Amino acid sequence: MKRCNLLFIMTDEQRFDAVGYQNPCVKTPNLDALAEESVVFDYAYTTNPSCIPARAAIFTGRYPSQCGAPCYITPLPKKETTFMKLLQEGGYVQGI
């Protein structure tokens, strides 16, 4: 079975209007080109305004309080299952 390629890009601490396709005063040609040719979530919300708990929620699909990373400096517990781990178990090769 042929697998589709997945590219997950997540910028850090960036407001919705800090990209050129939302704000003409900002110059982000590479992100603009990616947005033009891919999926953009215009109405996305975060489970937590702090980066580590928000990432933990994205990676696990669970609220930060449920996955054990509710605070800014709380690492995600190793026992948690992430979507990256599930992709890897499904035969995807990952890179950072």
Side-chain angles (χ1 to χ4, degrees):
M1 177 174 148
K2 185 175 178 183
R3 292 182 182 90
C4 61
N5 292 322
L6 301 172
L7 177 63
F8 184 77
I9 297 175
M10 183 172 54
T11 59
D12 194 28
E13 298 180 24
Q14 184 172 3
R15 289 172 32 141
F16 77 96
D17 61 351
V19 287
Y21 65 89
Q22 292 284 355
N23 182 347
C25 294
V26 178
K27 305 297 181 214
T28 55
N30 294 323
L31 289 176
D32 297 347
L34 282 170
E36 190 173 309
E37 297 182 25
S38 61
V39 176
V40 174
F41 298 97
D42 290 321
Y43 296 101
Y45 298 89
T46 185
T47 57
N48 194 300
S50 193
C51 59
I52 293 172
R55 284 190 201 117
I58 291 169
F59 296 163
T60 64
R62 299 169 36 157
Y63 287 109
S65 59
Q66 294 175 320
C67 68
C71 301
Y72 173 66
I73 55 173
T74 308
L76 184 64
K78 293 192 183 298
K79 67 178 172 79
E80 287 296 323
T81 301
T82 64
F83 80 87
M84 296 87 75
K85 179 67 174 166
L86 295 173
L87 287 171
Q88 186 179 37
E89 288 172 359
Y92 277 87
V93 177
Q94 300 174 20
I96 296 177

